[in-house]
Amino acid sequence: MSALYYTYYQSPLGMLKMGGTDTYIAELSYVDNQEQVTHGEPGISEIMHQCTEELIEFFNGKRRTFDIPVYQDGTVFQQKVWSELINIPFGKTITYLEQAKRVGDVKAIRAVASTNGKNKLAIIVPCHRVIGSDKSLIGYGGGLWRKKWLLQHEFKIMHGVQTLF
Protein backbone atom coordinates (compact mmCIF):
# COMPACT_ATOMS: atom_id res chain seq x y z
CA MET A 1 0.00 0.00 0.00
CA SER A 2 1.27 3.45 -0.91
CA ALA A 3 2.03 6.04 1.74
CA LEU A 4 -0.72 8.62 2.19
CA TYR A 5 0.53 12.20 2.23
CA TYR A 6 -1.37 15.29 3.35
CA THR A 7 -0.90 18.91 2.43
CA TYR A 8 -3.00 22.07 2.51
CA TYR A 9 -3.96 24.64 -0.08
CA GLN A 10 -5.36 28.08 0.72
CA SER A 11 -8.18 28.54 -1.79
CA PRO A 12 -10.73 31.32 -2.30
CA LEU A 13 -13.09 29.07 -0.32
CA GLY A 14 -10.74 28.68 2.62
CA MET A 15 -8.22 26.03 3.51
CA LEU A 16 -8.41 22.76 1.58
CA LYS A 17 -6.92 19.54 2.91
CA MET A 18 -5.46 17.35 0.19
CA GLY A 19 -4.62 13.70 0.75
CA GLY A 20 -2.95 11.51 -1.81
CA THR A 21 -0.39 8.91 -2.71
CA ASP A 22 2.22 8.73 -5.41
CA THR A 23 -0.50 7.65 -7.85
CA TYR A 24 -3.82 9.30 -6.95
CA ILE A 25 -5.69 11.92 -4.90
CA ALA A 26 -7.89 10.34 -2.21
CA GLU A 27 -9.20 13.42 -0.41
CA LEU A 28 -9.92 17.07 -1.03
CA SER A 29 -11.91 18.55 1.82
CA TYR A 30 -12.57 21.87 3.51
CA VAL A 31 -10.80 22.66 6.78
CA ASP A 32 -13.00 24.76 9.03
CA ASN A 33 -11.19 24.19 12.30
CA GLN A 34 -7.81 23.07 13.60
CA GLU A 35 -9.19 19.67 14.66
CA GLN A 36 -9.49 18.74 10.97
CA VAL A 37 -5.76 19.10 10.39
CA THR A 38 -4.05 15.74 9.79
CA HIS A 39 -0.40 15.15 10.33
CA GLY A 40 0.40 12.34 7.89
CA GLU A 41 3.58 11.44 6.07
CA PRO A 42 5.75 14.46 5.40
CA GLY A 43 6.19 15.56 1.83
CA ILE A 44 4.06 15.99 -1.23
CA SER A 45 3.72 13.62 -4.16
CA GLU A 46 3.91 14.72 -7.80
CA ILE A 47 0.18 13.95 -8.11
CA MET A 48 -0.55 16.32 -5.22
CA HIS A 49 1.56 19.00 -6.85
CA GLN A 50 -0.41 18.48 -10.08
CA CYS A 51 -3.68 18.69 -8.12
CA THR A 52 -2.63 22.01 -6.61
CA GLU A 53 -1.79 23.36 -10.07
CA GLU A 54 -5.16 22.19 -11.43
CA LEU A 55 -6.98 23.80 -8.48
CA ILE A 56 -5.18 27.09 -9.14
CA GLU A 57 -6.25 26.88 -12.79
CA PHE A 58 -9.83 26.07 -11.75
CA PHE A 59 -10.05 29.02 -9.38
CA ASN A 60 -8.49 31.29 -12.02
CA GLY A 61 -11.16 30.23 -14.52
CA LYS A 62 -8.75 28.37 -16.79
CA ARG A 63 -9.79 24.77 -16.00
CA ARG A 64 -13.20 23.14 -16.26
CA THR A 65 -12.31 19.49 -15.64
CA PHE A 66 -9.62 17.78 -13.61
CA ASP A 67 -7.13 15.37 -15.16
CA ILE A 68 -5.53 14.02 -12.00
CA PRO A 69 -6.19 10.40 -11.03
CA VAL A 70 -8.50 10.04 -8.05
CA TYR A 71 -9.67 7.19 -5.86
CA GLN A 72 -12.32 6.84 -3.17
CA ASP A 73 -13.23 3.60 -1.54
CA GLY A 74 -16.92 2.78 -1.74
CA THR A 75 -19.61 0.29 -2.69
CA VAL A 76 -20.55 -0.38 -6.30
CA PHE A 77 -23.55 1.95 -5.84
CA GLN A 78 -21.40 4.73 -4.37
CA GLN A 79 -18.88 4.42 -7.21
CA LYS A 80 -21.73 4.70 -9.72
CA VAL A 81 -23.11 7.81 -8.00
CA TRP A 82 -19.68 9.49 -7.84
CA SER A 83 -18.96 8.60 -11.46
CA GLU A 84 -22.20 10.25 -12.47
CA LEU A 85 -21.15 13.45 -10.69
CA ILE A 86 -18.11 13.70 -12.94
CA ASN A 87 -20.44 13.59 -15.96
CA ILE A 88 -22.23 16.80 -14.94
CA PRO A 89 -20.80 19.49 -17.24
CA PHE A 90 -18.96 22.51 -15.83
CA GLY A 91 -21.38 25.36 -15.22
CA LYS A 92 -24.46 23.11 -15.25
CA THR A 93 -26.61 21.68 -12.49
CA ILE A 94 -28.90 18.69 -12.12
CA THR A 95 -31.33 17.78 -9.38
CA TYR A 96 -30.95 14.90 -6.94
CA LEU A 97 -33.94 13.30 -8.70
CA GLU A 98 -32.20 13.56 -12.07
CA GLN A 99 -29.05 12.06 -10.59
CA ALA A 100 -31.09 9.15 -9.17
CA LYS A 101 -32.57 8.58 -12.64
CA ARG A 102 -29.09 8.64 -14.17
CA VAL A 103 -27.88 5.91 -11.80
CA GLY A 104 -30.91 3.84 -12.73
CA ASP A 105 -33.28 4.08 -9.76
CA VAL A 106 -35.61 7.03 -9.30
CA LYS A 107 -36.50 5.67 -5.84
CA ALA A 108 -32.85 5.95 -4.73
CA ILE A 109 -32.96 9.73 -4.38
CA ARG A 110 -32.15 9.66 -0.64
CA ALA A 111 -29.35 7.12 -1.15
CA VAL A 112 -27.93 9.31 -3.93
CA ALA A 113 -28.03 12.38 -1.69
CA SER A 114 -26.40 10.45 1.15
CA THR A 115 -23.68 9.16 -1.16
CA ASN A 116 -23.01 12.67 -2.46
CA GLY A 117 -22.51 13.67 1.18
CA LYS A 118 -19.83 11.00 1.52
CA ASN A 119 -17.85 12.31 -1.44
CA LYS A 120 -14.28 12.91 -0.21
CA LEU A 121 -13.17 14.77 -3.33
CA ALA A 122 -14.81 18.19 -3.14
CA ILE A 123 -14.65 20.28 -6.32
CA ILE A 124 -12.89 17.51 -8.29
CA VAL A 125 -15.93 15.20 -8.04
CA PRO A 126 -18.46 18.04 -8.36
CA CYS A 127 -21.29 17.21 -5.96
CA HIS A 128 -21.82 20.97 -5.70
CA ARG A 129 -23.56 20.77 -9.11
CA VAL A 130 -26.52 18.85 -7.65
CA ILE A 131 -29.44 20.95 -6.43
CA GLY A 132 -32.94 20.44 -5.07
CA SER A 133 -35.90 19.59 -7.30
CA ASP A 134 -37.20 23.12 -6.76
CA LYS A 135 -33.80 24.43 -7.97
CA SER A 136 -32.80 25.45 -4.44
CA LEU A 137 -29.35 25.06 -2.94
CA ILE A 138 -29.46 22.16 -0.52
CA GLY A 139 -27.11 19.55 0.80
CA TYR A 140 -23.44 20.47 0.63
CA GLY A 141 -21.02 19.25 3.28
CA GLY A 142 -18.74 22.24 2.73
CA GLY A 143 -21.55 24.65 3.53
CA LEU A 144 -24.16 26.19 1.26
CA TRP A 145 -22.14 29.39 0.92
CA ARG A 146 -19.35 27.37 -0.75
CA LYS A 147 -21.81 25.57 -3.01
CA LYS A 148 -23.26 28.92 -4.07
CA TRP A 149 -19.76 30.35 -4.64
CA LEU A 150 -18.71 27.37 -6.80
CA LEU A 151 -21.87 27.47 -8.91
CA GLN A 152 -21.61 31.23 -9.39
CA HIS A 153 -17.90 30.90 -10.26
CA GLU A 154 -18.64 28.31 -12.94
CA PHE A 155 -21.69 30.21 -14.26
CA LYS A 156 -19.68 33.42 -14.52
CA ILE A 157 -16.92 31.68 -16.47
CA MET A 158 -19.49 30.07 -18.81
CA HIS A 159 -21.68 33.13 -19.34
CA GLY A 160 -19.65 36.16 -18.30
CA VAL A 161 -22.24 37.17 -15.70
CA GLN A 162 -22.93 36.16 -12.15
CA THR A 163 -26.71 35.96 -11.88
CA LEU A 164 -27.24 32.36 -10.81
CA PHE A 165 -28.80 32.03 -7.32
Side-chain angles (χ1 to χ4, degrees), residues 10-161:
Q10 184 62 46
S11 80
L13 295 171
M15 187 69 70
L16 290 170
K17 174 182 166 185
M18 183 186 315
T21 68
D22 291 324
T23 56
Y24 59 82
I25 297 297
E27 178 182 1
L28 186 66
S29 59
Y30 301 103
V31 177
D32 288 322
N33 61 58
Q34 200 60 24
E35 294 169 3
Q36 294 171 301
V37 173
T38 301
H39 302 287
E41 289 288 323
I44 182 171
S45 68
E46 181 57 37
I47 295 293
M48 294 171 75
H49 177 73
Q50 180 184 348
C51 183
T52 302
E53 292 300 317
E54 290 187 14
L55 285 167
I56 291 167
E57 291 169 0
F58 173 83
F59 286 118
N60 286 333
K62 296 180 174 145
R63 175 170 292 275
R64 296 177 183 201
T65 60
F66 291 85
D67 299 324
I68 51 166
V70 297
Y71 173 77
Q72 344 187 33
D73 192 32
T75 66
V76 171
F77 177 78
Q78 289 171 325
Q79 295 295 335
K80 191 173 185 181
V81 169
W82 295 326
S83 292
E84 198 54 54
L85 290 170
I86 294 172
N87 292 327
I88 304 169
F90 181 92
K92 303 287 184 186
T93 59
I94 65 169
T95 64
Y96 288 96
L97 178 60
E98 177 62 27
Q99 188 182 10
K101 288 178 184 176
R102 289 182 182 191
V103 299
D105 187 354
V106 69
K107 295 177 185 171
I109 189 168
R110 283 192 171 92
V112 164
S114 175
T115 298
N116 284 358
K118 294 175 182 159
N119 174 25
K120 294 179 183 172
L121 294 162
I123 304 167
I124 298 170
V125 177
C127 57
H128 62 273
R129 295 180 187 153
V130 184
I131 59 175
S133 293
D134 63 355
K135 307 294 185 208
S136 65
L137 294 182
I138 58 171
Y140 191 62
L144 291 181
W145 72 271
R146 286 186 176 116
K147 184 172 190 163
K148 180 178 180 180
W149 190 98
L150 286 163
L151 292 173
Q152 288 179 331
H153 173 70
E154 292 181 9
F155 190 81
K156 183 177 181 183
I157 290 165
M158 292 291 295
H159 305 285
V161 294

